[in-house]
Amino acid sequence: MAKSTFLYINLVIALFLVLPVLQAKEKTFTVVIDAGHGGKDPGARGTVINEKAINLAVALKLGSLISEKHSDVKVIYTRKTDVFIELDERANIANRNKADLFISIHTNAVKRGSSVSGTETYTLGLARSDENLEVAMRENSAILLEDNYLQKYEGFDPKSSESYIIFEFMQNKHMEQSISLASEVQKCFTSAKRNNRGVRQAGFLVLRKTSMPSILVELGYISNPAEERFMKTKDGQDKLATAIYNAFTKYKWEYDRKRGALSGNASVAPVLQVVDDQESVVTAPPGSEEYIRQKNKRMMDQRLRNPPGSEEYIRQKNKAEEIKTVRQSKSATPEAQMATQVKKGQTVYKIQILTSDKKLSPNSKLFKGYKNVDYFVEKGIYKYTYGETTNFDSIRKMRRQVAKDFKDAFIVAFKDGKKVKY
């Protein structure tokens, strides 16, 4: 009896310790991605493509990126095909799933003039300008395709400016987070070389009933032929989706930080690189052979546009040499990375890229695709290093390249296996 009682007590203690961990792993962050319009509602019409098609393509790419890079995030779409979804049902989908975030994706247009371009991100509120009001009126006009819209939306007329007075007092408790995310979206669009038209407020019905931080993104102007061509292409859609993904990642990182849910190594949000070529995006994992090949190609294309011997030509040539150094070190084994045979008492230089309170798998996504990462332990902390050479100039060049993926990377030195100052 005593033995069975002892086993029972141990079992209860084990369950008490393990269950909270299991529950923590099951807890997920839910984001609802809403592709505006669809089905019988084309949205704004372009000359070769309609808004609904652009919205859906970018929404699916965004969701795919989030699912691939954030294992703890559940992605829900209001639509994944060309179907019509009522505006209030889009909000209901987010509420039913107890979403933590709602992102509605749209494409803008103007009636007069085709030179207007750029991105805008909206939060819920009263439009303070005629331009913002016009955007809200156009997006809200989708309800005219719904049955019994007057009863469903309590007499709201999307074409009447008087109807929008209700949004003056509609400042929900999630406004601060919504504006924070909207600001981050616009920053990431700017980094992707898109024209930043700012964060704005307007009365969007699709945001009115959401019970979580919510934004509405206008990707660009389909009424501008150049923007329409850009948003129609796969590269353009990739670039737009990646910019929104980066904003989401930074928002999620801050969300986790405030909850104390970040591991010891997550000092920065792991965003994807959006290159500054006109309509392209790096799709390969940073540090991979394909990633380096793409960067080398872009640099070669750039050098062809600069005369040999010019200042820009020399700068690009030096940059390509740095990349070549990194590529050679990545393809080598840790032993082959040594530039010379290390002698006793000789200093070996490495690049410290991150730290962790636990040992990481060699294939951890925190290494951002870098191979042959080594580590040493100091005061119970795992410190991960990349590269290894006895030549200080070589390690400095390598650090400059690695810092593009690990901005806090720095050089550390070892002598006879022990860390030393240099």
Side-chain angles (χ1 to χ4, degrees), residues 101-117:
L101 195 62
F102 180 83
I103 301 174
S104 188
I105 295 176
H106 289 258
T107 305
N108 220 332
V110 289
K111 295 179 180 178
R112 297 171 297 279
S114 59
S115 61
V116 181
S117 66

Side-chain angles (χ1 to χ4, degrees), residues 280-308:
S280 68
V281 60
V282 173
T283 54
S288 68
E289 195 71 25
E290 178 61 18
Y291 176 91
I292 295 169
R293 189 193 68 77
Q294 288 181 28
K295 293 183 80 170
N296 281 340
K297 182 179 183 301
R298 289 195 302 277
M299 287 181 184
M300 181 61 71
D301 291 342
Q302 180 64 36
R303 286 204 302 276
L304 290 173
R305 294 194 291 268
N306 294 291

Side-chain angles (χ1 to χ4, degrees), residues 19-120:
L19 280 176
V21 176
L22 292 175
Q23 290 171 353
K25 288 183 178 179
E26 289 173 1
K27 183 175 177 60
T28 59
F29 182 101
T30 300
V31 57
V32 170
I33 301 176
D34 171 46
H37 307 281
K40 62 184 178 182
D41 175 17
R45 297 177 184 272
T47 55
V48 293
I49 192 171
N50 290 330
E51 176 185 357
K52 66 176 183 178
I54 296 171
N55 298 345
L56 181 59
V58 173
L60 293 176
K61 289 174 186 288
L62 170 61
S64 178
L65 281 173
I66 294 175
S67 295
E68 178 186 352
K69 305 294 183 182
H70 293 270
S71 59
D72 61 331
V73 175
K74 182 178 182 181
V75 176
I76 295 173
Y77 303 90
T78 57
R79 70 181 181 97
K80 297 178 72 174
T81 58
D82 185 18
V83 294
F84 179 74
I85 307 291
E86 297 178 346
L87 286 189
D88 63 345
E89 176 58 17
R90 296 169 188 262
N92 290 339
I93 290 171
N95 293 335
R96 283 198 301 269
N97 286 280
K98 297 181 172 56
D100 299 285
L101 195 62
F102 180 83
I103 301 174
S104 188
I105 295 176
H106 289 258
T107 305
N108 220 332
V110 289
K111 295 179 180 178
R112 297 171 297 279
S114 59
S115 61
V116 181
S117 66
T119 64
E120 305 157 9

Side-chain angles (χ1 to χ4, degrees), residues 178-304:
S178 299
I179 292 175
S180 175
L181 175 59
S183 300
E184 201 59 63
V185 169
Q186 288 304 120
K187 287 179 187 176
C188 290
F189 276 137
T190 300
S191 297
K193 309 302 182 186
R194 308 306 298 155
N195 181 30
N196 180 0
R197 291 176 57 83
V199 175
R200 306 184 177 205
Q201 283 191 326
F204 293 98
L205 291 175
V206 73
L207 303 182
R208 181 178 66 157
K209 292 185 178 180
T210 55
S211 56
M212 71 288 302
S214 306
I215 61 170
L216 186 145
V217 182
E218 294 283 1
L219 300 171
Y221 282 78
I222 201 171
S223 50
N224 180 320
E227 291 232 299
E228 181 187 9
R229 285 194 300 272
F230 170 73
M231 292 187 291
K232 175 180 176 290
T233 65
K234 179 183 181 299
D235 285 344
Q237 292 163 3
D238 284 342
K239 193 170 187 177
L240 292 166
T242 302
I244 302 172
Y245 164 81
N246 284 340
F248 167 83
T249 296
K250 291 179 180 180
Y251 177 91
K252 176 66 164 50
W253 181 90
E254 185 65 23
Y255 174 90
D256 287 339
R257 184 188 69 80
K258 290 179 178 178
R259 291 172 54 243
L262 289 176
S263 59
N265 48 51
S267 58
V268 294
V271 299
L272 297 178
Q273 181 178 356
V274 180
V275 301
D276 55 8
D277 284 2
Q278 184 161 359
E279 290 183 3
S280 68
V281 60
V282 173
T283 54
S288 68
E289 195 71 25
E290 178 61 18
Y291 176 91
I292 295 169
R293 189 193 68 77
Q294 288 181 28
K295 293 183 80 170
N296 281 340
K297 182 179 183 301
R298 289 195 302 277
M299 287 181 184
M300 181 61 71
D301 291 342
Q302 180 64 36
R303 286 204 302 276
L304 290 173

Side-chain angles (χ1 to χ4, degrees), residues 9 64 109 150 176 180 196 210 237 273 321 376 388 415:
I9 292 173
S64 178
L150 286 174
E176 184 178 345
S180 175
N196 180 0
T210 55
Q237 292 163 3
Q273 181 178 356
E321 287 176 354
F376 64 98
E388 185 174 306
K415 187 177 291 185

Side-chain angles (χ1 to χ4, degrees), residues 143-158:
I143 68 172
L144 300 178
L145 299 174
E146 299 180 22
D147 295 330
N148 302 318
Y149 77 89
L150 286 174
Q151 292 79 10
K152 190 183 301 181
Y153 297 96
E154 300 167 343
F156 184 90
D157 181 356

